[in-house]
């Protein structure tokens, strides 16, 4: 069976009585690059955080690589246990029931997803190399020698082989963000999420980070990218999705959404951004 890398089905997310995501549907195929655009406060970060299980959704379903997030689905029990489960509403119309996943299951799923945030969140007391090796050694229990060799390769890939022993404070914002990307890649993710990875950078440092992301996309990585870099969206995105007030109001190729938006609000947004 083939399934999408990400399948978001009618997802709602509320914080208290504030509903931030209002029925979001989104599919990301393997190898696809989706750029998520939208005004500040529209729910972009929340949506990314839901994909990484940093937030629990209020309603709807998210499938990652075919697996349901948050809950796990199995055939409903038969007999009196099934009857009780049906009565409590735990059984779906397909005759399956849901149970909360174990921590180990959540951790295994989360390891498939790498995330890069706006603020460089490197460990300040570790060198670039140590930052990259930390999770492979401590979490994935890979041999240190192997992790070190791979970290060097990753540093090479983001153009920082000469900076292996530099600490974050000795690196520019752009270099730190490239280390953050290398660090995420060290866990061999199948999906990479970027939340405004260049928004906190000085303008002259934006290009080097976008170019690493573009290489990654060319290499076939599945990516969901929140960014206001329209040039990047045009050039790299397979699909552009426009989020407004927790709803996807426009979706299509960059040409469709950026140059020929369907909705007034999307058009408005681009006249301000471009
Ligand atoms: P965007 O990334 O598009 O700017 P966010 O997803 O960060 O938007 O936020 C969408 C809305 O959700 C905002 O109104 C924000 O205040 C609210 N929000 C986000 N996270 C939380 C939280 N942990 N608790 C309460 N409200 C939140
Ligand atoms: Mg945000």
């Amino acid at each position: 069976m083939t399934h999408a890398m990400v399948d978001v089905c009618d997802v709602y997310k509320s914080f208290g009585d504030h509903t931030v995501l209002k029925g979001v549907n989104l599919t990301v195929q393997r190898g696809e690059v989706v750029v998520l655009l939208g005004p500040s406060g529209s729910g972009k970060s929340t949506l990314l955080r839901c994909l990484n299980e940093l937030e629990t959704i209020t309603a709807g379903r998210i499938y990652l690589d075919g697996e349901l997030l948050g809950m796990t689905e199995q055939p409903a029990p038969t007999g009196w246990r099934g009857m009780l489960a049906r009565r409590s509403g735990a059984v779906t119309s397909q005759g399956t029931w849901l149970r909360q996943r174990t921590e180990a299951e959540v951790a295994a799923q989360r390891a498939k997803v790498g995330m890069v945030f706006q603020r460089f969140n490197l460990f300040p007391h570790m060198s670039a190399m140590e930052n990259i090796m930390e999770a492979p050694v401590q979490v994935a229990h890979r041999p240190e020698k192997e992790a070190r060799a791979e970290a060097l390769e990753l540093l090479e890939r983001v153009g920082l082989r000469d900076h292996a022993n530099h600490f974050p404070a000795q690196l520019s914002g752009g270099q730190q963000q490239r280390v953050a990307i290398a660090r995420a890649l060290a866990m061999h993710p199948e999906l990479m999420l970027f939340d405004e990875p260049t928004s906190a950078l000085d303008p002259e440092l934006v290009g080097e980070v976008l170019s690493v992301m573009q290489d990654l996309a060319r290499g076939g990585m599945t990516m969901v990218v929140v960014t206001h870099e329209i040039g990047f969206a045009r050039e790299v995105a397979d699909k552009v999705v426009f989020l407004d007030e927790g709803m996807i109001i426009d979706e299509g190729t960059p040409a469709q959404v950026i140059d020929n938006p369907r909705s007034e609000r999307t058009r408005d947004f681009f006249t301000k951004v471009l």
Side-chain angles (χ1 to χ4, degrees):
M1 192 190 84
T2 57
H3 46 248
M5 189 65 228
V6 179
D7 210 355
V8 176
C9 312
D10 206 23
V11 160
Y12 286 76
K13 172 65 185 174
S14 305
F15 295 105
D17 57 8
H18 182 193
T19 303
V20 173
L21 298 178
K22 302 169 187 163
V24 171
N25 288 286
L26 176 67
T27 305
V28 184
Q29 301 297 343
R30 220 166 255 284
E32 212 173 22
V33 177
V34 172
V35 167
L36 189 55
L37 293 166
S40 173
S42 57
K44 305 181 295 296
S45 296
T46 302
L47 180 54
L48 283 195
R49 291 170 58 80
C50 290
L51 296 182
N52 204 10
E53 288 185 86
L54 294 171
E55 303 284 0
T56 313
I57 60 179
T58 310
R61 289 174 179 220
I62 298 178
Y63 293 89
L64 215 125
D65 201 9
E67 262 185 67
L68 187 63
L69 293 193
M71 298 282 204
T72 198
E73 207 171 354
Q74 55 192 50
T78 51
W80 62 272
R81 282 173 59 232
M83 210 173 76
L84 285 181
R86 257 180 287 281
R87 203 177 285 165
S88 72
V91 176
T92 69
S93 55
Q94 284 86 41
T96 55
W97 79 332
L98 300 173
R99 70 169 167 81
Q100 202 79 38
R101 297 194 313 158
T102 64
E103 256 174 58
E105 286 171 326
V106 173
Q109 183 71 279
R110 200 175 274 158
K112 289 186 182 175
V113 184
M115 187 149 179
V116 178
F117 300 88
Q118 175 174 354
R119 295 262 156 215
F120 342 113
N121 50 345
L122 298 177
F123 306 116
H125 58 291
M126 291 183 190
S127 68
M129 172 72 104
E130 289 164 344
N131 262 281
I132 297 170
M133 289 173 62
E134 178 70 8
V137 173
Q138 300 302 331
V139 181
H141 305 295
R142 284 190 212 137
E144 198 162 320
K145 201 170 152 211
E146 186 189 305
R148 183 174 298 276
E150 198 186 348
L152 265 180
E153 271 171 41
L154 287 166
L155 279 165
E156 174 95 57
R157 210 163 138 194
V158 301
L160 290 171
R161 202 184 162 107
D162 300 342
H163 294 68
N165 297 317
H166 286 53
F167 286 85
Q170 300 170 307
L171 299 169
S172 74
Q175 291 170 333
Q176 287 183 49
Q177 217 42 336
R178 288 189 276 153
V179 174
I181 294 171
R183 186 176 63 173
L185 292 175
M187 289 299 276
H188 305 169
E190 294 181 37
L191 169 69
M192 284 286 286
L193 308 176
F194 293 87
D195 195 356
E196 303 201 30
T198 61
S199 305
L201 298 177
D202 291 334
E204 73 271 22
L205 303 177
V206 168
E208 65 192 59
V209 175
L210 292 180
S211 125
V212 166
M213 290 165 62
Q214 184 161 21
D215 285 348
L216 202 54
R218 283 208 192 102
M221 179 62 78
T222 312
M223 297 166 47
V224 181
V225 184
V226 175
T227 183
H228 295 297
E229 296 293 334
I230 303 300
F232 177 86
R234 250 191 234 287
E235 218 168 303
V236 182
D238 297 298
K239 182 157 85 179
V240 174
V241 170
F242 190 85
L243 200 64
D244 187 47
E245 294 182 5
M247 285 179 281
I248 291 178
I249 61 168
D250 232 321
E251 180 175 349
T253 64
Q256 282 165 348
V257 177
I258 300 170
D259 303 318
N260 219 342
R262 259 178 299 175
S263 80
E264 193 65 41
R265 294 201 63 114
T266 317
R267 209 166 309 141
D268 230 43
F269 176 84
F270 287 117
T271 50
K272 281 172 197 142
V273 172
L274 293 177

